[in-house]
Amino acid sequence: MEDNYLTMDLLRFTTAGSVDDGKSTLIGRLLYDSKSIFEDQMEAIEKASKQKGEENVNLALLTDGLRAEREQGITIDVAYRYFATPKRKFIIADTPGHIEYTRNMVTGASTANLAIILVDARNGIVEQTRRHSFIASLLGIDHIVYCVNKMDLVNYSQQTFSSIKEELKTFSSKLRTKDISFIPISALKGDNVVNRGKNMEWYEGSTLLHTLENIHIASDRNLIDCRFPVQYVIRPQNDKFHDYRGYAGRIEGGVFKKGDQVMVLPSGFSSKIKSIDTFNGEIEEAYSPMSVALTLEDDIDISRGDMIVRKNNSPSPEQNIDVMLCWLSTTPLQPGGKYAIKHTSKDARCMIKNILYKVDINTLHRIEEDKKIEANDIARVSLRITQPLFIDSYSSNKATGSIIIIDEATNNTVGAGMII
Amino acid sequence: MKNYNLSHLEELESESIYVIREVAAQFERPVLLFSGGKDSIVCYHLARKAFYPSSVPFPLMHVDTGHNFDELYQFRDQLMKDTNGRLIIASVQNSIDKGKVVEEKGINASRNKLQTTTLLDAIEENKFDCAMGGARRDEEKARAKERFFSHRDDFGQWDPKNQRPELWNIFNGKKHFGEHFRVFPISNWTEMDVWQYIKKENIAIPTLYLSHNRDCFERDGVIMAKTDFVQTK
Amino acid sequence: MQVRFRTIGDATCTGAVLSSAKNIDEIIQEVSATRITERGGRSDDKRSEAAMEDRKKEGYF
């Protein structure tokens, strides 16, 4: 074995589809054909499928990890799956497709580079296709792959695929996501998933796996605007490192170099990067998403929640922000209510100042008459925060452009917001 | 142009270090569960990296059934010595002696399940508010449903159907008095990632992981080592 | 027998695998070729399909 594992990269993707679009079959197919399902796992699900009197091996049993899911035959919660090819390692956030589980798709999409959206070749675009596309776009996913599935049930018709593709193109032109591809597949038979198969020779594009392996994700990161939220202050307090103060954190944007002029927020003090330290030694530069420790030339009071940035390129300190808020709790959002809020490494409190409108996630229309925000609703909301947050818009930086809202009585995470 | 990409191992490492630092920042009395197995060895290695040049700001805890291989105990003690690790041992034997749990009987008897009581008692006695562990989502299908930050109620129970949504990398470790968290820094690693990382970082592991000659017997298709703790029939 | 452990837990529930892998490189080769899961040799997971879920609910690791 060569050392190609040192250069493999990581792609995180999420899968969305309606209940019967064959999502589990597709994941099963990807895992099976890439030899990521093991014999004992296969035996276990064969046995379980038989016990239930099912004719085919139910690949959904692989991802339905909870007893309740297996009993009810539905996926309740996000499950994570892993596989690798010699080129890339993949993390799949497998999310349920039912309407009541929008929050799960939002969760899965929040860390994904790419979304696979399944479309049934027999039905074309349905309500859920729009919803899944909208959520993927809202969550800033840079790449969407539409898999037109069940091509075997429409005689592998090129015309059916073309017309669905045209329809999807028109619809998706309204989305923020710009890199969109379309692949005709049969997850059940395996056509164009890992192997090409012989049934759709008219299709000249890549298979799904080839697409996943080659899609260019390196330029998705923001390497321009330097953002370093301080997570933790390292103070060894031993003889060797007596006066050492290292600011530990993960770089959430840009490239930091030794010697760079930086500014610390909120104090506004300036200094220079003295060193960028890691366990393996000092490094000359560091970039997102590396976890490092920075030391500065000057002794400045810096603590968790502060942010180190470059002079002349800093996020704006804001106490009033507008967010697209996805509500995650079964207890409705309280207009005027107070909640805890988390933004990067900063904790604060906030008040719901105004609900501007709710979004119909099937049509993208604004609903201004009904402003009751319940679980799985998405709305534009104005927040007043107890102290300034150093924010960017979500579209320019996901890490400094996102917040979560927490119910102070239950401590539950009840809302996820993308800063506009 | 310079290549500003991270490899999959570098990205996983950065994610795990980020999670471990969040734990140190969000909790007052965290602990790292340490079994001496490869996953907890990797977690400890990541923790040492996360706070360098400082020492790891939390202790390790081994929930010890007393039925481990000698090599494992030797390895554990040597590693603690070499790295100045602070190790707490929570003993299942003590739980048995105190009458908190009853030893299983019969040919398949194991202390594995008894560890839960010992673990929960040790968390309570030491007032730990967060226990980190090396569980991975690829290991097992129930573990595939775990969050990085996983809430436990005041009985130490997990409610998998009512988990807090976990978005981006914003981790919510808020809890009421008496509750605690389990945190899994290497959730996204696979068995292969762990081995590749051990190779890349040249991390020491117990010799049990390498091929050796051992007196074994087979039970239900599983090769078991002959030890004083296992009845062969 | 020539064995190694793929996962190490309590000696009463951890199975060994037949193996000649003497170093990390050989372990990596073995892991990439295997068709059995890592916990396939753990009797604690074999007690029932939801064995891990049930233990975890009670407070297991």
Side-chain angles (χ1 to χ4, degrees), chain A residues 46-281:
Chain A
E46 273 169 8
K47 209 172 101 192
S49 305
K50 248 191 212 150
Q51 231 165 37
K52 291 188 169 176
E54 289 172 14
E55 209 172 292
N56 295 317
V57 175
N58 184 353
L59 290 170
L61 293 173
L62 264 183
T63 44
D64 290 341
L66 304 176
R67 187 200 297 272
E69 294 179 316
R70 291 189 296 273
E71 281 169 4
Q72 297 166 38
I74 54 161
T75 312
I76 294 171
D77 204 341
V78 189
Y80 295 89
R81 294 281 143 200
Y82 304 85
F83 71 103
T85 68
K87 276 198 167 160
R88 259 191 184 151
K89 173 194 160 98
F90 299 94
I91 301 179
I92 313 175
D94 182 20
T95 62
H98 321 270
I99 182 157
E100 61 270 34
Y101 295 123
T102 296
R103 68 170 221 178
N104 287 322
M105 173 153 181
V106 170
T107 303
S110 72
T111 50
N113 307 103
L114 176 150
I116 293 179
I117 298 176
L118 279 158
V119 180
D120 189 323
R122 296 169 303 174
N123 307 331
I125 297 186
V126 295
E127 199 177 288
Q128 297 205 39
T129 319
R130 295 177 209 279
R131 186 186 318 140
H132 295 148
S133 306
F134 171 59
I135 293 173
S137 165
L138 181 72
L139 269 288
I141 291 184
D142 292 295
H143 315 272
I144 293 178
V145 178
Y146 286 104
C147 285
V148 180
N149 190 24
K150 305 198 180 179
M151 288 300 292
D152 52 313
L153 298 182
V154 295
N155 294 318
Y156 298 105
S157 157
Q158 181 175 10
Q159 208 208 321
T160 305
F161 174 68
S162 301
S163 70
I164 293 175
K165 180 176 164 181
E166 282 316 305
E167 210 188 333
L168 284 169
K169 263 190 174 164
T170 313
F171 158 74
S172 60
S173 64
K174 284 179 278 180
L175 301 175
R176 219 176 290 156
T177 307
K178 291 299 162 229
D179 178 27
I180 297 179
S181 24
F182 310 88
I183 307 174
I185 64 165
S186 165
L188 188 68
K189 311 279 179 195
D191 301 286
N192 291 335
V193 180
V194 172
N195 305 310
R196 229 162 215 297
K198 289 208 159 71
N199 294 312
M200 290 179 273
E201 275 166 354
W202 47 263
Y203 173 70
E204 288 169 347
S206 310
T207 61
L208 175 60
L209 185 64
H210 189 265
T211 306
L212 294 174
E213 275 186 312
N214 290 288
I215 221 150
H216 184 67
I217 51 168
S219 48
D220 298 347
R221 279 172 300 144
N222 184 333
L223 291 170
I224 309 285
D225 309 307
C226 294
R227 302 287 184 263
F228 187 79
V230 175
Q231 237 189 318
Y232 188 88
V233 181
I234 297 175
R235 281 181 303 149
Q237 292 170 317
N238 58 29
D239 292 344
K240 196 173 160 205
F241 295 95
H242 197 270
D243 294 318
Y244 186 94
R245 282 177 75 88
Y247 305 106
R250 190 169 57 178
I251 294 170
E252 302 290 10
V255 182
F256 285 86
K257 293 188 172 77
K258 190 176 167 173
D260 276 354
Q261 282 287 343
V262 290
M263 183 167 76
V264 182
L265 299 171
S267 69
F269 287 129
S270 297
S271 187
K272 235 184 192 176
I273 296 179
K274 186 176 168 190
S275 67
I276 305 172
D277 294 339
T278 75
F279 183 82
N280 301 71

Side-chain angles (χ1 to χ4, degrees), chain A residues 337-354:
Chain A
K338 295 188 173 102
Y339 295 90
I341 183 171
K342 270 180 171 283
H343 171 256
T344 66
S345 53
K346 204 174 184 79
D347 277 278
R349 299 181 73 216
C350 70
M351 190 182 79
I352 310 294
K353 225 172 56 182
N354 193 11

